[in-house]
Amino acid sequence: MTSNKIISFIQLALLTSAVSCGIEPGGGSESAPVEEKKIEYTAIGNYRGYEIINQVIKDRMIHKGAEFELSDYLQKKPHGNDLESFIESTSGNLQVLLGRNTGNGLKSGYQNAQPNSINMLLWYLVVNGLADDVASNCEGETDRFNRDVTESMTKICAWPDPISKDDETLRGIWNLAMQYDAPEDEYLKWKEYILGADVAASKDRREAVLTLFVSAFYNPYFLLQH
Amino acid sequence: MDSNISRRDLLKYAGSGALTCLAVPSFTPRIANAEEKDPHFILQVIFPGGMDTHYLFDARPLEMTKNKLIQNYIGEEPNIWTGSNGQSTLATKLTNPLKPYKDYFSIINGVVMDPTFDGHEQNMAFWYTGNPFGGEFFMPHLNKLGLPLDYADIGEGQVFVMMSNTSKGVPLTNKSMKGLTEKIKKLPRLGSESHLFNHVNRRMKAISQIGNGRFSGGAWAMQDALQNISSLSDRISHLKLTETRADEKTKSSIDLMSELFKAGITQSASMVFKTDFGGQVNLDVHSGEDAKAQVTSLPTLIGEVATIFKTLKDTPYDAKRSMLDMTTVLVTTEFGRTMRGGGNFDESGTDHNSLVNTVLVGGKGIKGGQVIGSSDYQSSNAKLSGAHKSFDAEAKCIMGNPFDFDKMISRTDLPSAYDPKDYLTASSIINTVYKMYGVSKEQYRIIERNGPAARTLDGLLI
């Protein structure tokens, strides 16, 4: 065996080893693990917080004038419009854990805005509830969401039909959630995931639609200040 | 591969058993199981506003009131409270609710807060962070097991302290957790077996690697927290939470805390009462009217402390041990108060006094029943030190006595100038907690800029 062949063999062996370990040089594929460098961050970024995300969802997805509060996915809705119902619905106050401005004119601050296990779980609860509501559009419940949502959902509701997986359809869904909050590359990674074996193979429409939206919302570009 | 592997990496890789393949797309990180070792929980109880220690465990004889030195609206001679270490203090009848728990806690008198500031926020910041302008809160330093939350804030009150390491601390109430438990039971699991988890995990990780700015830092924190979500969901959905009764809020909070501790969600809790301006009870009694009201309000608050000890004692941790056996309890306020205010002595309120404080420390790891430290100005004809006079020209305050850390008793000398290493400060108490938890000495609080670490109270520890 010549020395060149030996080197090629070693290169091949290393490549095979890397592939078997799931390392893809450059980390290009969506499913490839990301090589992790130890980084000393200058600061830990905050969530955009409850008020902003609530408003973003309203602006992008909710029919004007329709009643909408993200906190409904966290806690039970008040039974009535009286003061007692209001106190009942807010006293649990889970929404303050998602990043909220609190205090008064003299002492105030943006609280609970750094990611931790509890608020990550709460955001998951929120985006899951929202995605579940959006998925209900496929069953004809459309009065809450705006025209952008209903139009984008028309094709996605055909899941697993190929039309639900074309670029135009998926981009429409991505734009509903993310608009210009994330770079194009983030969309491509998301699309790769949706068209990958795990999601695309699913025949369960509701589960697929839920996954589409949760994976878009549960992303640092959507949830964090940047 | 970066050769500089962080502790977090190491835990992850070790936890996943992926030693043969260091780039693992997903893993199930190990949340330290509270039951698997000998867990050590901690609860700090804070009464904002500045509780008057003269009405509690650092009382003064009535002769000082007759001489118009210290206002006393109880009008009764205080009793002698003798500790198991032979040291004693004067205590008023308002402390009676705590008598049944005398052996479970030690009284630390004469604790100097930050003598250069008498502001609420600066002194609370001094307690929380060791610096009157804020910094790192001590509780996250105790989370050496890497539990999902560094601490839970279970009280109804608030402190305004600038703290830089609170990302894993959250306020939780019994009610909010109860609602959450029901919701989470129905939530699709987001564990490492799920492709959704693996996708969002990869994206958070990738974004965390973009740079070292706050956005990437936030993505890192999201990814870090994500690892605990499925385990946390399981733990939350199994919490046994009771209905909160309006008249049993403190008990409910302790019940919640005990559940969070036992479930391994956190090991530290902070309970802040609403006792400053605007609260149901106002301890910041500048006016005579407010000062008089303490005679009825302080027993209520001391009763709350008694409820905390009782609930912990009555709550089993396992077949043999109660939650009090497993939990260190720290009870403090912002600072003491001056002996009198200005104007008419008979209608006197009081002002802030950061030269003294009383802290109760009990529960796990603590030798209870002791009286440690003392303050000066014990009688009308007491001589005050130069150190005291340098802060209190009008002699309206009591001040902590200098302290012999080796013998664990107060010194009787009168230092001419203030040197923090002579005194028992809040930093000594926190460093003692650090010592109990095995926190690195590099983390210990120093007594002043460029000064040594504050001495620990070794005689307080079992």
Side-chain angles (χ1 to χ4, degrees):
Chain A
M1 198 181 278
T2 66
S3 60
N4 279 348
K5 280 183 181 170
I6 291 171
I7 290 167
S8 297
F9 177 77
I10 292 170
Q11 284 173 335
L12 182 64
L14 285 172
L15 186 63
T16 310
S17 162
V19 168
S20 67
C21 280
I23 301 170
E24 185 155 313
S29 161
E30 194 281 330
S31 58
V34 181
E35 286 189 63
E36 192 174 0
K37 307 187 289 274
K38 187 186 175 191
I39 296 175
E40 293 290 331
Y41 296 104
T42 54
I44 298 299
N46 283 335
Y47 288 123
R48 296 158 93 183
Y50 179 83
E51 286 113 328
I52 289 180
I53 296 291
N54 192 54
Q55 193 58 49
V56 161
I57 300 287
K58 270 183 167 176
D59 292 345
R60 293 178 188 174
M61 302 180 71
I62 305 300
H63 197 279
K64 255 197 178 143
E67 192 181 309
F68 179 82
E69 273 298 327
L70 272 179
S71 61
D72 291 348
Y73 300 119
L74 285 178
Q75 290 153 290
K76 64 181 177 190
K77 297 175 189 178
H79 300 298
N81 292 322
D82 55 302
L83 182 63
E84 200 175 317
S85 300
F86 175 75
I87 292 168
E88 169 73 17
S89 69
T90 56
S91 58
N93 247 350
L94 285 169
Q95 56 177 275
V96 301
L97 302 184
L98 300 177
R100 285 216 72 148
N101 290 298
T102 58
N104 54 37
L106 292 172
K107 294 173 179 175
S108 58
Y110 190 45
Q111 307 254 316
N112 304 313
Q114 288 190 351
N116 59 46
S117 303
I118 289 277
N119 57 33
M120 279 291 285
L121 181 58
L122 294 182
W123 275 119
Y124 176 57
L125 190 59
V126 166
V127 298
N128 205 77
L130 176 63
D132 195 53
D133 253 6
V134 178
S136 301
N137 276 271
C138 295
E139 276 89 58
E141 297 168 33
T142 57
D143 55 339
R144 191 177 206 189
F145 294 96
N146 66 23
R147 212 168 125 188
D148 290 343
V149 175
T150 51
E151 283 180 4
S152 299
M153 293 298 290
T154 311
K155 286 183 184 172
I156 211 76
C157 289
W159 190 280
D161 192 288
I163 196 174
S164 63
K165 298 169 190 169
D166 67 27
D167 185 66
E168 189 188 341
T169 308
L170 292 179
R171 195 173 282 279
I173 296 295
W174 178 258
N175 286 343
L176 266 183
M178 198 67 87
Q179 289 196 359
Y180 297 103
D181 291 335
E184 174 70 6
D185 190 51
E186 199 59 26
Y187 164 67
L188 296 175
K189 292 286 192 297
W190 175 80
K191 181 181 159 189
E192 197 182 328
Y193 165 60
I194 299 302
L195 297 181
D198 291 326
V199 184
S202 169
K203 292 192 166 35
D204 184 330
R205 180 179 69 190
R206 194 171 185 96
E207 184 188 296
V209 174
L210 203 69
T211 304
L212 253 71
F213 279 97
V214 173
S215 57
F217 290 134
Y218 208 52
N219 182 302
Y221 283 108
F222 184 72
L223 290 176
L224 292 179
Q225 292 176 346
H226 53 94
Chain B
M1 187 80 200
D2 192 331
S3 61
N4 193 6
I5 297 175
S6 67
R7 178 180 160 272
R8 175 177 156 240
D9 299 330
L10 203 61
L11 278 173
K12 284 192 292 196
Y13 296 137
S16 61
L19 296 174
T20 54
C21 180
L22 288 177
V24 186
S26 66
F27 46 82
T28 306
R30 173 182 167 277
I31 291 180
N33 186 339
E35 284 83 9
E36 76 185 8
K37 288 187 179 176
D38 182 27
H40 189 166
F41 311 131
I42 185 164
L43 165 68
Q44 72 158 359
V45 180
I46 304 279
F47 291 100
M51 192 181 266
D52 196 333
T53 55
H54 310 125
Y55 282 96
L56 303 170
F57 292 106
D58 202 4
R60 291 295 180 269
L62 277 183
E63 61 91 4
M64 290 180 74
T65 303
K66 284 176 191 150
N67 289 324
K68 297 189 184 288
L69 289 173
I70 182 166
Q71 187 46 269
N72 179 343
Y73 292 112
I74 301 177
E76 287 181 24
E77 201 68 62
N79 302 309
I80 295 173
W81 180 296
T82 303
S84 56
N85 58 342
Q87 303 294 304
S88 60
T89 186
L90 290 179
T92 73
K93 65 177 183 182
L94 305 190
T95 62
N96 286 349
L98 281 172
K99 273 189 177 166
Y101 307 99
K102 186 177 176 181
D103 294 337
Y104 293 98
F105 66 88
S106 287
I107 299 161
I108 308 181
N109 274 333
V111 179
V112 178
M113 300 302 287
D114 189 328
T116 51
F117 292 98
D118 69 356
H120 296 281
E121 286 159 32
Q122 289 92 343
N123 279 281
M124 269 291 84
F126 187 62
W127 173 266
Y128 272 75
T129 72
N131 185 320
F133 299 107
E136 291 197 350
F137 180 27
F138 71 89
M139 279 193 156
H141 296 152
L142 310 179
N143 186 10
K144 294 173 73 186
L145 296 174
L147 299 183
L149 294 179
D150 284 340
Y151 64 96
D153 193 343
I154 57 166
E156 292 193 319
Q158 283 185 43
V159 290
F160 287 91
V161 174
M162 295 301 289
M163 292 181 280
S164 58
N165 58 341
T166 56
S167 64
K168 289 185 176 178
V170 295
L172 297 172
T173 65
N174 204 295
K175 182 162 190 154
S176 63
M177 288 305 285
K178 204 165 189 311
L180 187 59
T181 300
E182 296 308 312
K183 289 269 187 186
I184 282 175
K185 281 178 184 168
K186 298 171 192 158
L187 191 65
R189 191 179 159 82
L190 193 61
S192 58
E193 72 285 354
S194 111
H195 55 77
L196 175 63
F197 172 93
N198 288 319
H199 169 71
V200 295
N201 184 50
R202 276 192 299 272
R203 297 318 308 144
M204 289 169 190
K205 194 169 181 179
I207 294 164
S208 76
Q209 297 291 304
I210 291 173
N212 69 345
R214 51 188 301 125
F215 178 59
S216 286
W220 174 84
M222 284 179 74
Q223 197 232 345
D224 189 52
L226 181 72
Q227 313 312 315
N228 290 330
I229 283 193
S230 59
S231 170
L232 189 62
S233 304
D234 293 344
R235 286 157 194 257
I236 289 176
S237 56
H238 287 98
L239 292 178
K240 296 181 190 111
L241 301 170
T242 51
E243 290 293 339
T244 306
R245 282 176 45 182
D247 58 342
E248 288 191 335
K249 284 183 179 173
T250 298
K251 183 182 178 306
S252 297
S253 296
I254 297 299
D255 288 344
L256 168 67
M257 181 196 78
S258 300
E259 283 293 306
L260 296 172
F261 285 174
K262 286 193 267 190
I265 293 170
T266 185
Q267 64 179 4
S268 306
S270 177
M271 186 174 195
V272 180
F273 280 83
K274 283 171 103 167
T275 55
D276 46 4
F277 184 73
Q280 285 181 322
V281 171
N282 178 19
L283 292 176
D284 193 20
V285 291
H286 291 275
S287 74
E289 192 181 339
D290 283 344
K292 286 175 188 171
Q294 291 179 112
V295 178
T296 51
S297 61
L298 287 178
T300 308
L301 298 181
I302 293 301
E304 299 287 13
V305 178
T307 298
I308 290 169
F309 279 109
K310 181 179 187 324
T311 308
L312 287 171
K313 192 168 173 285
D314 293 348
T315 306
Y317 171 73
D318 58 20
K320 291 181 180 168
R321 297 172 291 183
S322 74
M323 283 305 292
L324 187 54
D325 294 325
M326 314 307 293
T327 310
T328 299
V329 182
L330 299 171
V331 183
T332 190
T333 183
E334 292 175 351
F335 35 54
R337 302 201 72 82
T338 60
M339 296 191 289
R340 59 190 184 276
N344 180 5
F345 179 79
D346 295 330
E347 294 294 324
S348 176
T350 57
D351 209 339
H352 308 166
N353 178 10
S354 55
L355 304 178
V356 79
N357 201 353
T358 294
V359 180
L360 306 183
V361 187
K364 179 162 178 144
I366 301 297
K367 216 180 277 176
Q370 301 185 87
V371 175
I372 296 169
S374 64
S375 53
D376 62 7
Y377 225 147
Q378 295 281 349
S379 64
S380 297
N381 55 6
K383 283 189 179 171
L384 303 183
S385 69
H388 182 141
K389 289 175 188 166
S390 69
F391 294 117
D392 177 30
E394 292 181 78
K396 280 185 170 180
C397 299
I398 64 171
M399 180 178 178
N401 279 319
F403 191 73
D404 184 328
F405 286 86
D406 295 319
K407 295 178 180 165
M408 287 292 290
I409 54 173
S410 294
R411 287 167 25 192
T412 53
D413 58 315
L414 302 174
S416 57
Y418 180 71
D419 183 342
K421 75 173 184 299
D422 290 333
Y423 291 85
L424 199 172
T425 67
S427 298
S428 277
I429 296 172
I430 301 303
N431 283 354
T432 306
V433 171
Y434 281 164
K435 184 168 187 174
M436 253 196 307
Y437 273 83
V439 173
S440 160
K441 285 193 173 175
E442 289 173 11
Q443 205 66 59
Y444 278 26
R445 292 183 178 181
I446 53 176
I447 57 170
E448 60 186 339
R449 191 179 293 176
N450 301 321
R455 295 278 304 271
T456 52
L457 298 168
D458 295 349
L460 184 63
L461 303 178
I462 290 171

